[in-house]
Amino acid sequence: MVHAVRTTDPAAGGFVTYLQSLRRGMTDDDIELCWEGVFPRNANWRVLALLRPLRFLRRVRRQLETADLLHVHGVFGWHVLLSLLAARSLGRPHVVSVHGHLHPDALRERRLSKRICLAWFGRRALRRAEAVLVTAPPEREIVRRYAPQAHIVEVMPGLEVPPVPESGAVTRAGEAPGPIHVLYLGRLHPHKGLHRLIRALGEARAEGLDAELIVAGTGSRSYRLALWLLVRGLGLRQQVRFLGHVGAGVRARLWRRADVFALPSRSENFGFAAAEAMAAGVPVIVSENVGLASLVAGRGCGEVVPPENTEALRRALLAYADPSVRREQGRRAHEAAVEAFSLQTMGAAHGALYRRVAGTARGMASVRDRAPDRV
């Protein structure tokens, strides 16, 4: 199975985490996964780097010559267009994981180029796919708007969930009081709402909440500067720390230290970072448009707030002033993660899909080989 992605850089966010989880969850020795990315880093200049797409096309075609099918991640970009061209030329079937690309909020960014991509090859990629993978019911409905006849498969991503919660929200119960550690982990982009979280932190502190915010992730230089100026203007330079992109070891330490995790995005098809927080036993604050919002609300393991609402974020932060609330919601978050985020279930669902698609393709090829030539 060849997986085509824009980049394999972990800083790119959720789809790389998705692939890492899939590789760990795929226990079927008969299925071999390989990745091909166009760009080595999640760089903004990638569209202009024309040599890399050409090299990607040669690599992915070489991989597909001995593969059974192509799995495309996303709807836009060089990797979608070129990998589909290679698969079509070799007669290989493909499946698509949408990863939130079709959400109305995501389509507002680089609107013209995305419309061109949809008209040129995006809709065709969805319509011709043997399956379109989504992570939540709202994304299923969005896909229906662009490909009404698509065969849509809903698969909950998996994670490695520790046997017991490890977060500060649970383990620091009974310790001497100190500042509440609020964690944001992800890409720095206006879409994620981090600027509103910073404003909400300032307002909550003005009401007496002793809290600090740790920001792990990177993004465009202009937005990083805007965030830094906002922190400085609000007088929060001692309460907000920017760590940049962090590796797996630092990430694990951050989960153990965190009391609350916040993801106030305008939209997320799933919300991998929020799922990781739950696995560690960290209560979460998410917007209503995050794919995990219904799970968070149903299991009582966090606060669900309207998107783009600083006041709601302020109230959510104040709700965690009580350590017993953090402890109880952290425990519930871990229990929900144990039940919902199974690597084995994720791997088995993908394995079954790959076998079905590959088997159908082989059967059709066999029929074509046996068919008599027409006179």
Side-chain angles (χ1 to χ4, degrees), residues 332-374:
R332 293 178 191 167
H334 180 263
E335 289 177 353
V338 169
E339 296 177 16
F341 308 140
S342 166
L343 284 173
Q344 290 70 34
T345 301
M346 179 189 187
H350 282 77
L353 173 64
Y354 293 157
R355 286 185 178 280
R356 178 183 67 77
V357 173
T360 301
R362 291 193 194 108
M364 292 177 66
S366 176
V367 169
R368 287 195 299 269
D369 291 343
R370 293 196 304 269
D373 293 336
R374 293 186 179 181

mmCIF file of all heavy atoms in Angstrom, residues 332-374:
data_model
loop_
_atom_site.group_PDB
_atom_site.id
_atom_site.type_symbol
_atom_site.label_atom_id
_atom_site.label_comp_id
_atom_site.label_asym_id
_atom_site.label_seq_id
_atom_site.Cartn_x
_atom_site.Cartn_y
_atom_site.Cartn_z
ATOM 1 N N ARG A 332 -12.128 10.731 33.667
ATOM 2 C CA ARG A 332 -13.107 10.390 32.632
ATOM 3 C C ARG A 332 -12.497 10.450 31.232
ATOM 4 O O ARG A 332 -12.831 9.633 30.365
ATOM 5 C CB ARG A 332 -14.288 11.358 32.702
ATOM 6 C CG ARG A 332 -15.143 11.252 33.944
ATOM 7 C CD ARG A 332 -16.225 12.299 33.891
ATOM 8 N NE ARG A 332 -16.943 12.440 35.137
ATOM 9 C CZ ARG A 332 -17.758 13.459 35.419
ATOM 10 N NH1 ARG A 332 -17.924 14.418 34.514
ATOM 11 N NH2 ARG A 332 -18.381 13.525 36.575
ATOM 12 N N ALA A 333 -11.614 11.404 31.006
ATOM 13 C CA ALA A 333 -10.964 11.527 29.696
ATOM 14 C C ALA A 333 -10.156 10.273 29.374
ATOM 15 O O ALA A 333 -10.205 9.748 28.258
ATOM 16 C CB ALA A 333 -10.059 12.762 29.673
ATOM 17 N N HIS A 334 -9.430 9.780 30.362
ATOM 18 C CA HIS A 334 -8.635 8.576 30.150
ATOM 19 C C HIS A 334 -9.537 7.376 29.879
ATOM 20 O O HIS A 334 -9.263 6.561 28.985
ATOM 21 C CB HIS A 334 -7.736 8.318 31.358
ATOM 22 C CG HIS A 334 -6.881 7.105 31.214
ATOM 23 N ND1 HIS A 334 -7.236 5.884 31.757
ATOM 24 C CD2 HIS A 334 -5.699 6.904 30.569
ATOM 25 C CE1 HIS A 334 -6.311 5.001 31.460
ATOM 26 N NE2 HIS A 334 -5.365 5.591 30.747
ATOM 27 N N GLU A 335 -10.621 7.240 30.626
ATOM 28 C CA GLU A 335 -11.548 6.131 30.413
ATOM 29 C C GLU A 335 -12.145 6.183 29.003
ATOM 30 O O GLU A 335 -12.267 5.150 28.331
ATOM 31 C CB GLU A 335 -12.669 6.179 31.454
ATOM 32 C CG GLU A 335 -12.221 5.821 32.872
ATOM 33 C CD GLU A 335 -13.350 5.947 33.871
ATOM 34 O OE1 GLU A 335 -14.443 6.438 33.477
ATOM 35 O OE2 GLU A 335 -13.164 5.562 35.042
ATOM 36 N N ALA A 336 -12.505 7.383 28.552
ATOM 37 C CA ALA A 336 -13.072 7.524 27.205
ATOM 38 C C ALA A 336 -12.048 7.152 26.145
ATOM 39 O O ALA A 336 -12.376 6.510 25.143
ATOM 40 C CB ALA A 336 -13.561 8.960 26.994
ATOM 41 N N ALA A 337 -10.783 7.535 26.367
ATOM 42 C CA ALA A 337 -9.729 7.220 25.394
ATOM 43 C C ALA A 337 -9.476 5.725 25.307
ATOM 44 O O ALA A 337 -9.266 5.185 24.212
ATOM 45 C CB ALA A 337 -8.441 7.947 25.787
ATOM 46 N N VAL A 338 -9.489 5.043 26.451
ATOM 47 C CA VAL A 338 -9.290 3.586 26.455
ATOM 48 C C VAL A 338 -10.341 2.904 25.595
ATOM 49 O O VAL A 338 -10.057 1.974 24.826
ATOM 50 C CB VAL A 338 -9.322 3.045 27.898
ATOM 51 C CG1 VAL A 338 -9.392 1.531 27.899
ATOM 52 C CG2 VAL A 338 -8.096 3.519 28.674
ATOM 53 N N GLU A 339 -11.574 3.381 25.684
ATOM 54 C CA GLU A 339 -12.676 2.744 24.960
ATOM 55 C C GLU A 339 -12.745 3.156 23.491
ATOM 56 O O GLU A 339 -13.140 2.360 22.633
ATOM 57 C CB GLU A 339 -14.000 3.087 25.649
ATOM 58 C CG GLU A 339 -14.112 2.529 27.055
ATOM 59 C CD GLU A 339 -15.400 2.950 27.742
ATOM 60 O OE1 GLU A 339 -16.331 3.402 27.024
ATOM 61 O OE2 GLU A 339 -15.492 2.838 28.979
ATOM 62 N N ALA A 340 -12.358 4.398 23.174
ATOM 63 C CA ALA A 340 -12.610 4.927 21.833
ATOM 64 C C ALA A 340 -11.421 4.853 20.888
ATOM 65 O O ALA A 340 -11.601 4.685 19.683
ATOM 66 C CB ALA A 340 -13.083 6.384 21.929
ATOM 67 N N PHE A 341 -10.187 4.985 21.409
ATOM 68 C CA PHE A 341 -9.028 5.167 20.525
ATOM 69 C C PHE A 341 -8.159 3.910 20.486
ATOM 70 O O PHE A 341 -7.063 3.866 21.045
ATOM 71 C CB PHE A 341 -8.183 6.350 20.992
ATOM 72 C CG PHE A 341 -8.961 7.622 21.182
ATOM 73 C CD1 PHE A 341 -8.688 8.457 22.258
ATOM 74 C CD2 PHE A 341 -9.959 7.979 20.303
ATOM 75 C CE1 PHE A 341 -9.397 9.633 22.431
ATOM 76 C CE2 PHE A 341 -10.685 9.142 20.474
ATOM 77 C CZ PHE A 341 -10.403 9.978 21.548
ATOM 78 N N SER A 342 -8.654 2.898 19.827
ATOM 79 C CA SER A 342 -7.934 1.626 19.760
ATOM 80 C C SER A 342 -7.079 1.568 18.498
ATOM 81 O O SER A 342 -7.596 1.660 17.378
ATOM 82 C CB SER A 342 -8.929 0.460 19.776
ATOM 83 O OG SER A 342 -8.292 -0.741 19.396
ATOM 84 N N LEU A 343 -5.770 1.382 18.669
ATOM 85 C CA LEU A 343 -4.889 1.197 17.519
ATOM 86 C C LEU A 343 -5.249 -0.072 16.753
ATOM 87 O O LEU A 343 -5.213 -0.100 15.516
ATOM 88 C CB LEU A 343 -3.435 1.119 17.987
ATOM 89 C CG LEU A 343 -2.730 2.413 18.382
ATOM 90 C CD1 LEU A 343 -1.367 2.104 18.979
ATOM 91 C CD2 LEU A 343 -2.572 3.333 17.179
ATOM 92 N N GLN A 344 -5.590 -1.116 17.476
ATOM 93 C CA GLN A 344 -5.904 -2.386 16.841
ATOM 94 C C GLN A 344 -7.167 -2.276 15.983
ATOM 95 O O GLN A 344 -7.222 -2.807 14.860
ATOM 96 C CB GLN A 344 -6.076 -3.480 17.900
ATOM 97 C CG GLN A 344 -4.795 -3.897 18.596
ATOM 98 C CD GLN A 344 -4.244 -2.812 19.518
ATOM 99 O OE1 GLN A 344 -5.017 -2.063 20.140
ATOM 100 N NE2 GLN A 344 -2.923 -2.730 19.615
ATOM 101 N N THR A 345 -8.186 -1.560 16.505
ATOM 102 C CA THR A 345 -9.413 -1.372 15.730
ATOM 103 C C THR A 345 -9.145 -0.550 14.478
ATOM 104 O O THR A 345 -9.647 -0.861 13.386
ATOM 105 C CB THR A 345 -10.489 -0.700 16.589
ATOM 106 O OG1 THR A 345 -10.759 -1.524 17.733
ATOM 107 C CG2 THR A 345 -11.768 -0.495 15.809
ATOM 108 N N MET A 346 -8.349 0.489 14.622
ATOM 109 C CA MET A 346 -7.980 1.320 13.472
ATOM 110 C C MET A 346 -7.255 0.488 12.418
ATOM 111 O O MET A 346 -7.567 0.542 11.228
ATOM 112 C CB MET A 346 -7.092 2.473 13.938
ATOM 113 C CG MET A 346 -6.617 3.389 12.831
ATOM 114 S SD MET A 346 -5.362 4.567 13.429
ATOM 115 C CE MET A 346 -5.164 5.620 11.988
ATOM 116 N N GLY A 347 -6.257 -0.292 12.861
ATOM 117 C CA GLY A 347 -5.492 -1.116 11.929
ATOM 118 C C GLY A 347 -6.351 -2.163 11.259
ATOM 119 O O GLY A 347 -6.240 -2.399 10.049
ATOM 120 N N ALA A 348 -7.237 -2.817 12.024
ATOM 121 C CA ALA A 348 -8.092 -3.862 11.451
ATOM 122 C C ALA A 348 -9.055 -3.284 10.418
ATOM 123 O O ALA A 348 -9.307 -3.904 9.372
ATOM 124 C CB ALA A 348 -8.867 -4.559 12.567
ATOM 125 N N ALA A 349 -9.605 -2.093 10.697
ATOM 126 C CA ALA A 349 -10.538 -1.477 9.754
ATOM 127 C C ALA A 349 -9.840 -1.131 8.442
ATOM 128 O O ALA A 349 -10.381 -1.362 7.355
ATOM 129 C CB ALA A 349 -11.152 -0.221 10.375
ATOM 130 N N HIS A 350 -8.639 -0.591 8.523
ATOM 131 C CA HIS A 350 -7.890 -0.273 7.311
ATOM 132 C C HIS A 350 -7.485 -1.552 6.571
ATOM 133 O O HIS A 350 -7.565 -1.614 5.346
ATOM 134 C CB HIS A 350 -6.645 0.547 7.652
ATOM 135 C CG HIS A 350 -6.925 1.991 7.914
ATOM 136 N ND1 HIS A 350 -7.459 2.439 9.084
ATOM 137 C CD2 HIS A 350 -6.741 3.098 7.132
ATOM 138 C CE1 HIS A 350 -7.594 3.758 9.040
ATOM 139 N NE2 HIS A 350 -7.174 4.177 7.871
ATOM 140 N N GLY A 351 -7.048 -2.552 7.339
ATOM 141 C CA GLY A 351 -6.646 -3.803 6.705
ATOM 142 C C GLY A 351 -7.783 -4.444 5.924
ATOM 143 O O GLY A 351 -7.595 -4.917 4.792
ATOM 144 N N ALA A 352 -8.978 -4.455 6.514
ATOM 145 C CA ALA A 352 -10.136 -5.029 5.833
ATOM 146 C C ALA A 352 -10.465 -4.249 4.566
ATOM 147 O O ALA A 352 -10.796 -4.836 3.520
ATOM 148 C CB ALA A 352 -11.337 -5.046 6.780
ATOM 149 N N LEU A 353 -10.370 -2.920 4.648
ATOM 150 C CA LEU A 353 -10.647 -2.093 3.476
ATOM 151 C C LEU A 353 -9.620 -2.348 2.372
ATOM 152 O O LEU A 353 -9.981 -2.520 1.196
ATOM 153 C CB LEU A 353 -10.635 -0.619 3.875
ATOM 154 C CG LEU A 353 -10.753 0.388 2.731
ATOM 155 C CD1 LEU A 353 -12.106 0.255 2.030
ATOM 156 C CD2 LEU A 353 -10.556 1.812 3.245
ATOM 157 N N TYR A 354 -8.343 -2.379 2.740
ATOM 158 C CA TYR A 354 -7.300 -2.612 1.741
ATOM 159 C C TYR A 354 -7.484 -3.966 1.059
ATOM 160 O O TYR A 354 -7.325 -4.093 -0.156
ATOM 161 C CB TYR A 354 -5.924 -2.546 2.399
ATOM 162 C CG TYR A 354 -5.529 -1.177 2.919
ATOM 163 C CD1 TYR A 354 -4.567 -1.053 3.930
ATOM 164 C CD2 TYR A 354 -6.103 -0.012 2.420
ATOM 165 C CE1 TYR A 354 -4.193 0.190 4.413
ATOM 166 C CE2 TYR A 354 -5.735 1.230 2.906
ATOM 167 C CZ TYR A 354 -4.781 1.331 3.907
ATOM 168 O OH TYR A 354 -4.409 2.557 4.380
ATOM 169 N N ARG A 355 -7.800 -4.983 1.840
ATOM 170 C CA ARG A 355 -7.979 -6.317 1.255
ATOM 171 C C ARG A 355 -9.169 -6.334 0.290
ATOM 172 O O ARG A 355 -9.105 -6.944 -0.780
ATOM 173 C CB ARG A 355 -8.183 -7.350 2.365
ATOM 174 C CG ARG A 355 -6.918 -7.686 3.126
ATOM 175 C CD ARG A 355 -7.187 -8.803 4.137
ATOM 176 N NE ARG A 355 -5.967 -9.159 4.847
ATOM 177 C CZ ARG A 355 -5.021 -9.954 4.354
ATOM 178 N NH1 ARG A 355 -5.165 -10.457 3.135
ATOM 179 N NH2 ARG A 355 -3.944 -10.233 5.058
ATOM 180 N N ARG A 356 -10.255 -5.679 0.673
ATOM 181 C CA ARG A 356 -11.426 -5.649 -0.204
ATOM 182 C C ARG A 356 -11.113 -4.947 -1.522
ATOM 183 O O ARG A 356 -11.420 -5.462 -2.607
ATOM 184 C CB ARG A 356 -12.584 -4.934 0.490
ATOM 185 C CG ARG A 356 -13.836 -4.831 -0.387
ATOM 186 C CD ARG A 356 -14.940 -4.054 0.288
ATOM 187 N NE ARG A 356 -14.632 -2.656 0.476
ATOM 188 C CZ ARG A 356 -14.682 -1.742 -0.499
ATOM 189 N NH1 ARG A 356 -15.014 -2.097 -1.743
ATOM 190 N NH2 ARG A 356 -14.415 -0.483 -0.245
ATOM 191 N N VAL A 357 -10.473 -3.767 -1.431
ATOM 192 C CA VAL A 357 -10.186 -2.998 -2.642
ATOM 193 C C VAL A 357 -9.185 -3.730 -3.523
ATOM 194 O O VAL A 357 -9.366 -3.842 -4.744
ATOM 195 C CB VAL A 357 -9.656 -1.597 -2.272
ATOM 196 C CG1 VAL A 357 -9.191 -0.849 -3.525
ATOM 197 C CG2 VAL A 357 -10.734 -0.807 -1.548
ATOM 198 N N ALA A 358 -8.117 -4.269 -2.909
ATOM 199 C CA ALA A 358 -7.112 -4.988 -3.692
ATOM 200 C C ALA A 358 -7.704 -6.249 -4.322
ATOM 201 O O ALA A 358 -7.422 -6.573 -5.481
ATOM 202 C CB ALA A 358 -5.918 -5.349 -2.810
ATOM 203 N N GLY A 359 -8.547 -6.959 -3.583
ATOM 204 C CA GLY A 359 -9.163 -8.167 -4.120
ATOM 205 C C GLY A 359 -10.088 -7.865 -5.284
ATOM 206 O O GLY A 359 -10.098 -8.575 -6.290
ATOM 207 N N THR A 360 -10.868 -6.790 -5.168
ATOM 208 C CA THR A 360 -11.758 -6.392 -6.264
ATOM 209 C C THR A 360 -10.953 -6.023 -7.499
ATOM 210 O O THR A 360 -11.303 -6.399 -8.627
ATOM 211 C CB THR A 360 -12.636 -5.206 -5.829
ATOM 212 O OG1 THR A 360 -13.404 -5.580 -4.693
ATOM 213 C CG2 THR A 360 -13.555 -4.768 -6.947
ATOM 214 N N ALA A 361 -9.851 -5.272 -7.292
ATOM 215 C CA ALA A 361 -9.027 -4.862 -8.429
ATOM 216 C C ALA A 361 -8.399 -6.067 -9.116
ATOM 217 O O ALA A 361 -8.352 -6.143 -10.348
ATOM 218 C CB ALA A 361 -7.933 -3.897 -7.949
ATOM 219 N N ARG A 362 -7.918 -7.037 -8.334
ATOM 220 C CA ARG A 362 -7.323 -8.231 -8.940
ATOM 221 C C ARG A 362 -8.370 -9.023 -9.721
ATOM 222 O O ARG A 362 -8.099 -9.554 -10.801
ATOM 223 C CB ARG A 362 -6.709 -9.117 -7.854
ATOM 224 C CG ARG A 362 -5.481 -8.531 -7.182
ATOM 225 C CD ARG A 362 -4.779 -9.604 -6.362
ATOM 226 N NE ARG A 362 -3.816 -9.001 -5.454
ATOM 227 C CZ ARG A 362 -3.990 -8.935 -4.132
ATOM 228 N NH1 ARG A 362 -5.086 -9.422 -3.577
ATOM 229 N NH2 ARG A 362 -3.068 -8.379 -3.367
ATOM 230 N N GLY A 363 -9.589 -9.110 -9.164
ATOM 231 C CA GLY A 363 -10.641 -9.836 -9.859
ATOM 232 C C GLY A 363 -10.998 -9.198 -11.185
ATOM 233 O O GLY A 363 -11.170 -9.888 -12.197
ATOM 234 N N MET A 364 -11.069 -7.869 -11.224
ATOM 235 C CA MET A 364 -11.386 -7.182 -12.465
ATOM 236 C C MET A 364 -10.268 -7.353 -13.484
ATOM 237 O O MET A 364 -10.504 -7.531 -14.676
ATOM 238 C CB MET A 364 -11.637 -5.696 -12.186
ATOM 239 C CG MET A 364 -12.894 -5.428 -11.382
ATOM 240 S SD MET A 364 -13.103 -3.677 -11.011
ATOM 241 C CE MET A 364 -13.358 -3.033 -12.679
ATOM 242 N N ALA A 365 -9.019 -7.315 -12.999
ATOM 243 C CA ALA A 365 -7.887 -7.504 -13.908
ATOM 244 C C ALA A 365 -7.900 -8.904 -14.501
ATOM 245 O O ALA A 365 -7.605 -9.108 -15.679
ATOM 246 C CB ALA A 365 -6.576 -7.248 -13.166
ATOM 247 N N SER A 366 -8.270 -9.892 -13.671
ATOM 248 C CA SER A 366 -8.327 -11.265 -14.150
ATOM 249 C C SER A 366 -9.389 -11.417 -15.233
ATOM 250 O O SER A 366 -9.197 -12.099 -16.246
ATOM 251 C CB SER A 366 -8.616 -12.210 -12.981
ATOM 252 O OG SER A 366 -8.762 -13.534 -13.432
ATOM 253 N N VAL A 367 -10.549 -10.772 -15.042
ATOM 254 C CA VAL A 367 -11.622 -10.836 -16.043
ATOM 255 C C VAL A 367 -11.165 -10.209 -17.350
ATOM 256 O O VAL A 367 -11.408 -10.733 -18.437
ATOM 257 C CB VAL A 367 -12.888 -10.129 -15.507
ATOM 258 C CG1 VAL A 367 -13.908 -9.947 -16.624
ATOM 259 C CG2 VAL A 367 -13.479 -10.927 -14.367
ATOM 260 N N ARG A 368 -10.476 -9.064 -17.249
ATOM 261 C CA ARG A 368 -9.994 -8.405 -18.456
ATOM 262 C C ARG A 368 -9.000 -9.289 -19.201
ATOM 263 O O ARG A 368 -8.997 -9.364 -20.430
ATOM 264 C CB ARG A 368 -9.347 -7.057 -18.103
ATOM 265 C CG ARG A 368 -10.327 -5.973 -17.709
ATOM 266 C CD ARG A 368 -9.651 -4.617 -17.745
ATOM 267 N NE ARG A 368 -8.530 -4.545 -16.817
ATOM 268 C CZ ARG A 368 -8.644 -4.127 -15.565
ATOM 269 N NH1 ARG A 368 -9.835 -3.773 -15.089
ATOM 270 N NH2 ARG A 368 -7.586 -4.076 -14.778
ATOM 271 N N ASP A 369 -8.121 -9.976 -18.419
ATOM 272 C CA ASP A 369 -7.122 -10.835 -19.063
ATOM 273 C C ASP A 369 -7.765 -11.996 -19.792
ATOM 274 O O ASP A 369 -7.262 -12.467 -20.831
ATOM 275 C CB ASP A 369 -6.140 -11.348 -18.013
ATOM 276 C CG ASP A 369 -5.251 -10.239 -17.464
ATOM 277 O OD1 ASP A 369 -5.176 -9.179 -18.124
ATOM 278 O OD2 ASP A 369 -4.676 -10.423 -16.388
ATOM 279 N N ARG A 370 -8.905 -12.514 -19.273
ATOM 280 C CA ARG A 370 -9.552 -13.660 -19.869
ATOM 281 C C ARG A 370 -10.507 -13.300 -20.997
ATOM 282 O O ARG A 370 -10.917 -14.147 -21.769
ATOM 283 C CB ARG A 370 -10.315 -14.454 -18.807
ATOM 284 C CG ARG A 370 -9.440 -15.121 -17.771
ATOM 285 C CD ARG A 370 -10.229 -16.182 -17.013
ATOM 286 N NE ARG A 370 -11.428 -15.637 -16.400
ATOM 287 C CZ ARG A 370 -11.488 -15.151 -15.168
ATOM 288 N NH1 ARG A 370 -10.398 -15.114 -14.431
ATOM 289 N NH2 ARG A 370 -12.628 -14.707 -14.667
ATOM 290 N N ALA A 371 -10.907 -12.029 -21.056
ATOM 291 C CA ALA A 371 -11.899 -11.616 -22.051
ATOM 292 C C ALA A 371 -11.342 -11.751 -23.461
ATOM 293 O O ALA A 371 -10.199 -11.369 -23.719
ATOM 294 C CB ALA A 371 -12.336 -10.182 -21.793
ATOM 295 N N PRO A 372 -12.129 -12.300 -24.427
ATOM 296 C CA PRO A 372 -11.657 -12.424 -25.803
ATOM 297 C C PRO A 372 -11.573 -11.063 -26.473
ATOM 298 O O PRO A 372 -12.294 -10.132 -26.121
ATOM 299 C CB PRO A 372 -12.745 -13.280 -26.463
ATOM 300 C CG PRO A 372 -13.957 -13.017 -25.652
ATOM 301 C CD PRO A 372 -13.493 -12.827 -24.236
ATOM 302 N N ASP A 373 -10.665 -10.931 -27.412
ATOM 303 C CA ASP A 373 -10.537 -9.689 -28.165
ATOM 304 C C ASP A 373 -11.780 -9.496 -29.012
ATOM 305 O O ASP A 373 -12.345 -10.434 -29.579
ATOM 306 C CB ASP A 373 -9.318 -9.740 -29.089
ATOM 307 C CG ASP A 373 -8.023 -9.778 -28.298
ATOM 308 O OD1 ASP A 373 -8.060 -9.318 -27.139
ATOM 309 O OD2 ASP A 373 -7.028 -10.265 -28.845
ATOM 310 N N ARG A 374 -12.216 -8.252 -29.094
ATOM 311 C CA ARG A 374 -13.377 -7.953 -29.927
ATOM 312 C C ARG A 374 -12.957 -7.822 -31.390
ATOM 313 O O ARG A 374 -11.903 -7.289 -31.697
ATOM 314 C CB ARG A 374 -14.017 -6.641 -29.476
ATOM 315 C CG ARG A 374 -14.651 -6.743 -28.081
ATOM 316 C CD ARG A 374 -15.399 -5.481 -27.722
ATOM 317 N NE ARG A 374 -16.022 -5.593 -26.425
ATOM 318 C CZ ARG A 374 -16.754 -4.639 -25.881
ATOM 319 N NH1 ARG A 374 -16.946 -3.505 -26.517
ATOM 320 N NH2 ARG A 374 -17.298 -4.805 -24.699
#
